[in-house]
Amino acid sequence: MKQAALVTGGAKRIGAAIAMALSKHGYDIALHYHASRTEAEKTAGAVRQTGSACELFACDLADMDQVASLVPGVFRRFPGCSLLVNNASIFERAGFRETEPALFDRLWNVNFKAPFFLARDFAGHCRSGQIINICDTKITEELVSHFVYALTKKALTDFTRMAAKELGPAIRVNALAPGMILSSKDHTDEDLVRMSRKLPLQRKGNADQVVSALLFLMDNDYITGECIFVDGGGHLH
């Protein structure tokens, strides 16, 4: 039975790069998306050109009823699914005093609660496999400008270690913490280039470097509960 991977937020950016790399390594792809249908179809087309199957799975990760149906749906289509990449995330600026309940719930549901329950459901369907969570280099700081976002990524990192202890030896659980990789609504590429000069490696990164770290975690079967920083040394204070 051919192996498959569920990649959340796989339509674009780092998620799409991960989906493409996994397809080239022989995985069929269950590509999750929410609002980015056009990008998801484009990425799926590129995946299929590598010879791997790719199915799209629409799901609002802020809606726990939808989350509950995602993993069972994936395993019906890909019973050989052995890898879950919790990549989908919301990055929103809001300080402690600016945080309203709706924002708190949205960030917490998408960034932590959904990965938690997707991992639980995956472990219930998969006899032997891996979970890789995408965190953030800022887990080593107190990023008060993005207060709830930072909390969700810190929690996801702690969850990685706890789940690794709980799910071993059948399922390994690891994490990646990217740094200055891709531009966002807060920072352009030019901003990243400028800010990256303060890093030990003095340059911004790219999605291929995140993919390389992910493949390393997948290939080394004596690593679990680990978080690899792909950030040019940004976590070193």
Side-chain angles (χ1 to χ4, degrees), residues 185-203:
K185 61 183 180 182
D186 287 346
H187 299 296
T188 65
D189 279 334
E190 291 74 17
D191 292 332
L192 295 186
V193 169
R194 173 178 48 80
M195 293 186 296
S196 68
R197 297 191 184 107
K198 298 179 181 178
L199 300 175
L201 295 186
Q202 298 183 10
R203 64 182 189 273

Side-chain angles (χ1 to χ4, degrees), residues 48 99 139 188 197 211 218 228 237:
R48 291 172 188 134
T99 300
I139 58 175
T188 65
R197 297 191 184 107
V211 167
M218 290 173 58
I228 295 181
H237 305 299

